[in-house]
Amino acid sequence: MTTMKGLFSRPAWTGIVICAVIAVLLPILNLSFPAGHALHISSYTIALVGKFMCYALAALALDLVWGYTGILSLGHGVFFALGAYAHGMYLMRAIGREGVYQSNLPDFMVFLDWKTYPWYWSMTDSFWYCMALVVLVPGVLAFIFGFFAFRSRIKGVYFSIITQAMTFAFMLLFFRNNTGFGGNNGFTDFKRILGFTITAPGTKAALYLITLLILLSALFLCRWIVTSKLGRVLQAVRDSESRLMFIGYNPLWFKLFVWTLSAILCGIAGALYVPQVGIINPSEMSPANSIEMVIWAAVGGRGTLLGPIIGAFTVNGLKSWFTAAFPDLWLYALGLLFILVTLFMQQGVLGLVSKLKKQREPV
């Protein structure tokens, strides 16, 4: 893991700037040149990169608790999905009477013979209210869960297991039709956002650029946190929590703060994911999805901030190729990748690059 003093190196800053510039150019090329032109970037590519950036934000959030605080969560998928559902409620209300049944209620409620919205759908026709839910729902759940878990000094593999149990329980809950969240089909068939047609190229480009801006902002926020005095305490929690308590610190509130912040960032990632992908359903809460987030961070290099972002793009890029070329082999490839990283690249891609760089330096 990188030390706080070395975060980030000059080449890393150069890479961030270059990648940011390239990322900004993609939607511009998509809108500026017609299909078939040599410089045209397809709408599919814009949507794919936008989705990868949402995953990168989730991986960054996980790195904050796992890489810097030593808290391995196998349940971050639930925070991602809750943020997505909170935004999805607004998008479903924005459909209006343009659904299949031409009702003020979403199609799934009409199909299930619901006569009115349940109470927790109140005010969800307001975009800003739902944006508040995107932050509050994952944040409050994480705070309550974390408070009782950390106060009870549950840590290590036991904490990982109960986070996985939490996301599995929520997945089963949301699969039920009577919860009012679309059952196994979830939310889909969105029409507009803030009055703009959601499938329009301009809207897609705007969502893409907003995602990029939030990802960069979250990266700089996390960097500021881990390089501050708070960051030193978080690393002390990771390295030796008992020593930290011996010198007078109460780790509970530090762990609770970073855990809640990580959940909020994950929820925001989910909220950005929904309008770009066009669907959210309970499968996003599956334990396998949370484990994939861990793999993204491990492949890129946990405790580096940049590593999980690289890992999210790398693993999901491979997934997109594998599921198209060899759809039956992806899970085997993912398992093999994780085994290889665990055995030979414990510090991930960035750790390997750093090691090779040191070997080339003159003694």
Side-chain angles (χ1 to χ4, degrees), residues 34-300:
H37 193 282
L39 295 177
H40 176 75
I41 300 296
S42 69
S43 297
Y44 170 79
T45 301
I46 298 300
L48 188 66
V49 176
K51 180 174 73 171
F52 287 177
M53 287 194 291
C54 296
Y55 290 154
L57 179 56
L60 176 65
L62 180 63
D63 192 41
L64 198 59
V65 291
W66 185 33
Y68 285 93
T69 319
I71 302 171
L72 175 57
S73 168
L74 296 179
H76 259 48
V78 71
F79 304 129
F80 184 91
L82 287 174
Y85 269 100
H87 192 186
M89 293 168 80
Y90 163 77
L91 295 174
M92 293 300 290
R93 294 290 293 266
I95 294 174
R97 301 182 67 87
E98 296 181 35
V100 174
Y101 298 103
Q102 298 182 346
S103 169
N104 288 323
L105 296 175
D107 287 339
F108 73 86
M109 289 188 181
V110 178
F111 179 78
L112 295 171
D113 200 28
W114 290 49
K115 303 302 182 184
T116 185
Y117 284 104
W119 64 268
Y120 45 85
W121 278 76
S122 301
M123 298 176 61
T124 51
D125 56 341
S126 166
F127 174 79
W128 295 111
Y129 175 76
C130 287
M131 291 303 100
L133 291 182
V134 166
V135 173
L136 291 174
V137 173
V140 170
L141 174 63
F143 184 88
I144 295 173
F145 178 89
F147 177 78
F148 288 105
F150 297 142
R151 190 183 67 168
S152 302
R153 296 186 183 177
I154 298 173
K155 56 178 126 176
V157 66
Y158 303 105
F159 183 84
S160 301
I161 290 172
I162 63 171
T163 57
Q164 191 170 59
M166 174 184 66
T167 190
F168 188 70
F170 269 89
M171 182 186 71
L172 295 180
L173 176 66
F174 274 67
F175 265 123
R176 296 173 60 90
N177 287 326
N178 59 3
T179 55
F181 294 105
N184 62 318
N185 294 319
F187 299 158
T188 189
D189 196 30
F190 308 129
K191 304 295 184 184
R192 61 182 62 82
I193 179 171
L194 292 174
F196 297 97
T197 303
I198 203 165
T199 55
T203 306
K204 289 289 189 183
L207 290 168
Y208 171 99
L209 290 173
I210 290 170
T211 304
L212 174 62
L213 176 62
I214 292 178
L215 174 60
L216 290 174
S217 300
L219 175 62
F220 297 142
L221 171 64
C222 291
R223 180 186 180 274
W224 176 75
I225 289 173
V226 301
T227 55
S228 67
K229 292 181 179 179
L230 171 60
R232 296 188 181 94
V233 175
L234 295 178
Q235 287 199 335
V237 170
R238 180 195 67 196
D239 296 336
S240 182
E241 186 174 342
S242 57
R243 286 188 180 183
L244 190 67
M245 295 173 65
F246 182 76
I247 61 176
Y249 284 89
N250 182 1
L252 170 64
W253 300 108
F254 295 100
K255 293 164 72 174
L256 196 55
F257 166 77
V258 75
W259 170 254
T260 303
L261 175 61
S262 177
I264 290 172
L265 290 176
C266 223
I268 293 172
L272 294 167
Y273 172 90
V274 169
Q276 296 183 86
V277 176
I279 187 171
I280 177 64
N281 58 46
S283 64
E284 293 295 337
M285 297 183 184
S286 71
N289 284 24
S290 296
I291 293 172
E292 274 199 42
M293 292 183 186
V294 173
I295 294 175
W296 302 339
V299 169

